[in-house]
Coordinates of all heavy atoms in Angstrom, one line a residue:
T1 N 46.4 -52.7 0.2 CA 47.9 -52.6 0.1 C 48.4 -51.4 -0.7 O 47.6 -50.8 -1.5 CB 48.7 -53.8 -0.4 OG1 48.3 -53.9 -1.8 CG2 48.2 -55.1 0.4
V2 N 49.6 -50.9 -0.4 CA 50.1 -49.9 -1.3 C 50.1 -50.3 -2.7 O 49.7 -49.4 -3.6 CB 51.7 -49.5 -0.8 CG1 52.3 -48.7 -1.8 CG2 51.7 -48.9 0.6
F3 N 50.5 -51.5 -3.0 CA 50.6 -51.9 -4.4 C 49.2 -51.9 -5.1 O 49.1 -51.3 -6.2 CB 51.0 -53.5 -4.3 CG 51.2 -54.0 -5.9 CD1 52.5 -54.0 -6.4 CD2 50.2 -54.5 -6.6 CE1 52.8 -54.5 -7.7 CE2 50.4 -54.9 -7.9 CZ 51.7 -54.9 -8.5
D4 N 48.1 -52.3 -4.4 CA 46.8 -52.3 -5.0 C 46.2 -50.9 -5.0 O 45.5 -50.6 -6.0 CB 45.9 -53.2 -4.1 CG 46.1 -54.7 -4.4 OD1 46.7 -54.9 -5.4 OD2 45.8 -55.5 -3.6
N5 N 46.6 -50.0 -4.1 CA 46.1 -48.6 -4.2 C 46.8 -47.9 -5.4 O 46.0 -47.2 -6.1 CB 46.6 -47.8 -3.0 CG 45.7 -47.6 -1.9 OD1 44.7 -46.9 -2.0 ND2 45.8 -48.3 -0.7
I6 N 48.0 -48.3 -5.7 CA 48.5 -47.6 -7.0 C 48.0 -48.4 -8.4 O 47.7 -47.7 -9.2 CB 50.1 -47.7 -7.0 CG1 50.7 -46.9 -5.7 CG2 50.7 -47.3 -8.3 CD1 52.1 -46.8 -5.5
L7 N 47.7 -49.6 -8.1 CA 47.2 -50.4 -9.3 C 45.8 -49.8 -9.7 O 45.5 -49.7 -10.8 CB 47.1 -51.9 -9.0 CG 46.7 -52.8 -10.1 CD1 47.6 -52.8 -11.2 CD2 46.5 -54.3 -9.5
V8 N 45.0 -49.4 -8.7 CA 43.6 -48.8 -8.9 C 43.7 -47.7 -10.0 O 43.0 -47.5 -10.8 CB 43.0 -48.4 -7.7 CG1 41.8 -47.5 -7.9 CG2 42.5 -49.6 -6.8
G9 N 44.8 -47.0 -9.7 CA 45.0 -45.7 -10.6 C 45.3 -46.0 -12.0 O 45.0 -45.2 -12.8
S10 N 45.7 -47.3 -12.3 CA 46.0 -47.6 -13.7 C 44.8 -48.1 -14.5 O 44.7 -48.1 -15.8 CB 47.1 -48.7 -13.8 OG 46.6 -49.8 -13.4
H11 N 43.6 -48.2 -13.8 CA 42.5 -48.8 -14.4 C 41.8 -48.0 -15.4 O 41.1 -48.4 -16.3 CB 41.6 -49.4 -13.4 CG 42.1 -50.8 -12.8 ND1 41.5 -51.3 -11.6 CD2 43.1 -51.5 -13.2 CE1 42.3 -52.4 -11.3 NE2 43.2 -52.5 -12.3
C12 N 42.0 -46.6 -15.3 CA 41.2 -45.8 -16.3 C 41.9 -45.8 -17.6 O 41.4 -45.6 -18.7 CB 41.3 -44.4 -15.8 SG 43.0 -43.7 -16.2
R13 N 43.2 -46.6 -17.6 CA 43.8 -46.7 -18.9 C 43.7 -48.0 -19.6 O 44.1 -48.3 -20.6 CB 45.3 -46.5 -18.6 CG 45.8 -45.0 -18.4 CD 45.7 -44.4 -19.7 NE 46.2 -43.0 -19.6 CZ 46.3 -42.2 -20.6 NH1 45.7 -42.5 -21.8 NH2 46.7 -40.9 -20.4
T14 N 43.1 -49.1 -18.8 CA 43.0 -50.4 -19.5 C 41.6 -50.3 -20.3 O 40.6 -49.9 -19.9 CB 42.8 -51.4 -18.4 OG1 41.8 -51.1 -17.4 CG2 44.1 -51.6 -17.5
S15 N 41.7 -51.0 -21.4 CA 40.7 -50.9 -22.4 C 39.8 -52.0 -22.4 O 38.5 -51.8 -22.8 CB 41.3 -50.9 -23.8 OG 42.1 -52.1 -24.0
T16 N 40.1 -53.2 -21.7 CA 39.1 -54.2 -21.7 C 38.0 -53.9 -20.6 O 38.3 -53.4 -19.6 CB 39.8 -55.5 -21.3 OG1 40.8 -55.2 -20.2 CG2 40.6 -55.9 -22.6
G17 N 36.8 -54.3 -20.9 CA 35.8 -54.0 -20.0 C 35.5 -55.1 -18.9 O 36.1 -56.1 -18.9
F18 N 34.4 -54.8 -18.2 CA 34.1 -55.7 -17.1 C 33.8 -57.1 -17.5 O 34.3 -58.2 -17.0 CB 32.9 -55.2 -16.2 CG 32.4 -56.2 -15.3 CD1 33.0 -56.3 -14.2 CD2 31.2 -56.9 -15.6 CE1 32.5 -57.3 -13.2 CE2 30.7 -57.9 -14.5 CZ 31.4 -58.0 -13.4
A19 N 33.0 -57.3 -18.6 CA 32.6 -58.6 -19.2 C 33.8 -59.4 -19.4 O 33.9 -60.6 -19.2 CB 31.6 -58.4 -20.3
S20 N 34.8 -58.8 -20.2 CA 35.9 -59.6 -20.6 C 36.8 -59.9 -19.4 O 37.5 -60.9 -19.4 CB 36.7 -58.9 -21.7 OG 37.1 -57.6 -21.3
N21 N 36.8 -59.0 -18.5 CA 37.6 -59.3 -17.1 C 36.9 -60.5 -16.7 O 37.7 -61.4 -16.1 CB 37.5 -58.1 -16.3 CG 38.7 -57.2 -16.4 OD1 39.8 -57.6 -16.6 ND2 38.4 -55.9 -16.4
F22 N 35.7 -60.5 -16.5 CA 34.9 -61.6 -15.8 C 35.2 -62.9 -16.5 O 35.4 -63.9 -16.0 CB 33.5 -61.2 -15.8 CG 32.6 -62.3 -15.1 CD1 32.6 -62.3 -13.6 CD2 31.7 -63.1 -15.8 CE1 31.9 -63.3 -13.0 CE2 30.9 -64.0 -15.2 CZ 31.0 -64.1 -13.8
L23 N 35.1 -62.8 -17.8 CA 35.4 -64.1 -18.7 C 36.8 -64.4 -18.9 O 37.2 -65.4 -19.5 CB 34.7 -63.9 -20.1 CG 33.2 -63.6 -20.0 CD1 32.7 -63.2 -21.4 CD2 32.5 -64.9 -19.6
R24 N 37.8 -63.5 -18.4 CA 39.2 -63.8 -18.5 C 39.5 -63.9 -20.0 O 40.3 -64.8 -20.4 CB 39.6 -64.8 -17.7 CG 39.9 -64.5 -16.3 CD 41.2 -63.8 -16.1 NE 41.5 -63.3 -14.7 CZ 41.3 -62.0 -14.4 NH1 40.9 -61.1 -15.3 NH2 41.6 -61.6 -13.2
L25 N 39.0 -63.0 -20.9 CA 39.4 -63.2 -22.3 C 40.8 -62.8 -22.5 O 41.5 -62.2 -21.8 CB 38.5 -62.2 -23.1 CG 37.0 -62.6 -23.1 CD1 36.2 -61.6 -23.9 CD2 36.7 -64.0 -23.8
P26 N 41.3 -63.4 -23.8 CA 42.7 -63.1 -24.0 C 42.9 -61.7 -24.1 O 42.0 -60.9 -24.6 CB 43.0 -63.7 -25.4 CG 41.9 -64.6 -25.7 CD 40.7 -64.3 -24.7
G27 N 44.1 -61.1 -23.7 CA 44.2 -59.7 -23.8 C 44.1 -59.0 -22.3 O 44.9 -58.1 -22.0
V28 N 43.3 -59.7 -21.5 CA 43.1 -59.1 -20.3 C 44.3 -59.4 -19.4 O 44.8 -58.6 -18.7 CB 41.8 -59.8 -19.5 CG1 41.7 -59.3 -18.1 CG2 40.7 -59.3 -20.4
R29 N 44.7 -60.7 -19.4 CA 45.9 -61.1 -18.7 C 47.1 -60.2 -19.1 O 47.9 -59.8 -18.2 CB 46.1 -62.6 -19.1 CG 47.2 -63.2 -18.1 CD 46.8 -63.4 -16.8 NE 47.6 -62.5 -15.9 CZ 47.3 -62.1 -14.7 NH1 46.1 -62.5 -14.1 NH2 48.0 -61.3 -14.1
R30 N 47.4 -60.0 -20.4 CA 48.5 -59.1 -20.9 C 48.4 -57.8 -20.3 O 49.3 -57.2 -19.9 CB 48.5 -59.2 -22.4 CG 49.9 -58.6 -22.9 CD 49.8 -58.7 -24.4 NE 48.8 -57.9 -25.0 CZ 47.8 -58.5 -25.8 NH1 47.8 -59.9 -26.1 NH2 46.9 -57.7 -26.5

């Protein structure tokens, strides 16, 4: 979708890594 295409662009700016995304650690949701 258009939304997800644009969202992909923001991922270089997120600091949490793959492991914490996978584990859904606090901070990832925010």
Side-chain angles (χ1 to χ4, degrees):
T1 65
V2 167
F3 188 96
D4 286 342
N5 262 290
I6 295 178
L7 187 62
V8 164
S10 67
H11 285 165
C12 78
R13 282 288 185 185
T14 50
S15 56
T16 48
F18 172 77
S20 53
N21 270 316
F22 183 69
L23 299 168
R24 278 283 176 259
L25 291 178
V28 175
R29 188 67 250 161
R30 189 178 60 242

